[in-house]
C-alpha cells in the first residue's frame, strides 16, 4: 500500500473526493498527510475531522520558498510519502520537492492545458468564449501548470452559464482525479 500526501490551499472538495475513494477501497493508498499553506483553510478542518496528519504553515514564517519546501520535504519523509497529489495548491513546487519526488507529484487544473494556465482558469476560458472546456491532470514541473499531461476530459459548454460550467468542471474533477490516481498506482506510478 503506498502512502500519499495531498497539498491543498482552499476548500478541499478534491481532497474529499480522494479521501472518499480511499475509504471506499477504490484507491489503493493511505492518505498520510495534508500539506496546506493557509492554516485557516477549510481543507485543514476537513483533515483534522478525518484524523489526517496536517502540516499547515504560513509561508511568511519562513525565510524563503527553499526554507518552507525543505520543511514540507521533511514532513513527507517522516510520513513515508510515496506520491504527492496537488489539489488546489496555490504555490509553485520548487526543485527541492521535485528532485525528491521525480514524476511523483501530480496536479489537477480546471482547463484544457496548455490553454488557460494559472489562476481563475475557468473564468479565463469562459470569458475567452471557448466552446469546449475541460480538466487536465498532469505531472508537475517547475513551470506553472506545466509538465506532461496524464489525462484530460472535455465537454461542450455552449449554453452554460459560468456557474454551470464551474459546477460541471468540479463534477468532472471529483470523478476523474480519483480514477487516474488509482490507475497510476496500479501501473506502479
Ligand atoms: C480545483 O478546481 C482544481 O482544479 C484547482 O483548484 C481547485 C481546487 O478546488 N487546481 P478544491 O479545493 O479541491 O475544492
Amino acid at each position: 500500500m503506498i502512502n500519499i500526501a495531498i497539498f491543498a490551499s482552499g476548500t478541499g472538495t478534491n481532497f474529499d473526493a480522494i479521501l472518499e475513494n480511499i475509504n471506499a477501497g477504490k484507491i489503493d493508498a493511505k492518505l498520510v498527510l495534508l500539506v496546506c499553506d493557509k492554516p485557516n483553510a477549510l481543507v485543514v478542518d476537513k483533515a483534522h475531522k478525518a484524523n489526517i496528519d496536517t502540516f499547515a504553515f504560513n509561508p511568511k514564517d519562513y525565510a524563503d520558498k527553499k526554507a518552507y519546501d525543505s520543511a514540507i520535504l521533511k514532513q513527507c519523509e517522516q510520513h513515508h510519502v510515496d506520491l504527492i497529489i496537488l489539489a488546489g495548491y496555490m504555490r509553485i513546487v520548487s526543485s527541492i520537492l521535485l528532485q525528491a519526488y521525480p514524476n511523483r507529484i501530480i496536479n489537477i487544473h480546471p482547463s484544457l492545458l496548455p490553454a488557460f494556465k494559472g489562476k481563475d482558469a475557468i473564468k479565463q476560458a469562459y470569458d475567452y468564449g471557448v466552446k469546449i472546456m475541460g480538466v487536465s491532470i498532469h505531472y508537475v514541473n517547475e513551470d506553472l501548470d506545466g509538465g506532461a499531461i496524464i489525462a484530460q476530459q472535455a465537454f461542450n459548454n455552449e449554453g452554460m452559464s459560468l456557474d454551470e460550467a464551474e459546477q460541471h468542471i468540479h463534477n468532472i474533477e471529483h470523478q476523474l482525479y480519483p480514477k487516474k490516481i488509482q490507475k497510476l498506482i496500479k501501473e506502479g506510478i
Side-chain angles (χ1 to χ4, degrees):
M1 184 84 90
I2 73 153
N3 289 334
I4 62 176
I6 294 181
F7 289 21
S9 305
T11 321
T13 61
N14 282 284
F15 171 92
D16 289 333
I18 294 164
L19 185 57
E20 269 168 34
N21 275 269
I22 288 175
N23 290 340
K26 292 181 185 165
I27 297 178
D28 296 323
K30 191 164 180 235
L31 178 54
V32 293
L33 180 66
L34 169 75
V35 170
C36 181
D37 60 327
K38 294 204 169 66
N40 296 322
L42 193 58
V43 70
V44 173
D45 289 343
K46 291 178 173 181
H48 285 156
K49 284 192 185 119
N51 276 322
I52 307 294
D53 282 0
T54 301
F55 178 58
F57 68 99
N58 187 341
K60 289 190 183 131
D61 295 339
Y62 293 82
D64 52 21
K65 189 181 195 63
K66 252 188 172 175
Y68 63 71
D69 266 7
S70 299
I72 294 172
L73 177 58
K74 199 169 156 201
Q75 288 285 330
C76 288
E77 286 172 349
Q78 280 169 355
H79 286 83
H80 305 289
V81 168
D82 302 299
L83 174 66
I84 294 175
I85 294 169
L86 309 189
Y89 185 62
M90 304 302 281
R91 293 193 173 265
I92 302 229
V93 170
S94 75
S95 58
I96 291 175
L97 284 160
L98 291 169
Q99 279 168 16
Y101 286 93
N103 280 327
R104 283 171 175 248
I105 307 180
I106 64 172
N107 182 41
I108 190 160
H109 184 75
S111 78
L112 294 172
L113 289 171
F116 308 113
K117 295 179 176 182
K119 275 189 187 168
D120 296 326
I122 304 173
K123 189 166 186 309
Q124 284 185 52
Y126 193 87
D127 289 348
Y128 203 88
V130 299
K131 305 300 175 217
I132 305 290
M133 294 177 108
V135 169
S136 304
I137 296 169
H138 64 94
Y139 289 105
V140 171
N141 63 17
E142 265 174 282
D143 302 325
L144 175 69
D145 300 319
I149 290 171
I150 297 167
Q152 289 183 310
Q153 191 169 322
F155 64 97
N156 187 319
N157 61 284
E158 280 171 282
M160 286 188 187
S161 66
L162 176 58
D163 280 356
E164 285 165 346
E166 274 182 3
Q167 197 48 58
H168 199 78
I169 282 183
H170 294 312
N171 291 342
I172 290 175
E173 289 184 331
H174 301 156
Q175 305 293 319
L176 191 66
Y177 214 8
K179 235 191 323 193
K180 295 301 167 184
I181 291 166
Q182 173 64 358
K183 188 163 181 271
L184 286 175
I185 292 170
K186 282 277 155 229
E187 287 167 356
I189 312 176

